[in-house]
Amino acid sequence: PELRVVGGHIGVPWTAEVISLATKYPNFYIDTSAYAAHRLPPALVDYMRESGRSRVLFGTNWPMLSAQRCLERLDELGLDADARDLYLGGNAARVFGI
């Protein structure tokens, strides 16, 4: 129960499976590294807006993708303030105990 698993790069090409794992297992999380906000799949964005708001962590792919580039179109995801705060740092702080 102490092991935490983070599925990197949104699990591509198995994004649906990664969402399923995060839904089923309380210590499984998803990170969005290597994806700018506007490139996230609709299924993941829907998950982030609803039941997965506490399960998805923001990530970049520095130096290939900067944080600025990843966040340029963040508002297009339609996250409410709580989901946005969790995504941008709250989830990572909790998962990694920082």
Side-chain angles (χ1 to χ4, degrees):
E2 294 178 29
L3 176 67
R4 293 183 183 119
V5 177
V6 179
H9 303 284
I10 67 173
V12 166
W14 303 282
T15 302
E17 289 82 355
V18 171
I19 292 170
S20 178
L21 289 168
T23 300
K24 183 173 182 178
Y25 297 105
N27 286 347
F28 192 96
Y29 302 88
I30 304 167
D31 89 22
T32 61
S33 59
Y35 285 84
H38 71 280
R39 305 282 295 174
L40 296 174
L44 181 63
V45 175
D46 290 343
Y47 183 66
M48 292 168 67
R49 287 184 195 135
E50 298 170 9
S51 63
R53 63 183 45 235
S54 65
R55 311 308 300 260
V56 182
L57 290 69
F58 171 74
T60 69
N61 200 29
W62 180 261
M64 303 293 281
L65 279 174
S66 68
Q68 179 181 356
R69 174 74 176 112
C70 289
L71 295 171
E72 281 177 357
R73 294 168 57 183
L74 180 66
D75 291 341
E76 293 177 20
L77 299 182
L79 301 175
D80 63 34
D82 183 49
R84 183 181 175 122
D85 289 345
L86 289 168
Y87 171 56
L88 293 179
N91 290 336
R94 187 185 70 257
V95 169
F96 298 116
I98 53 173

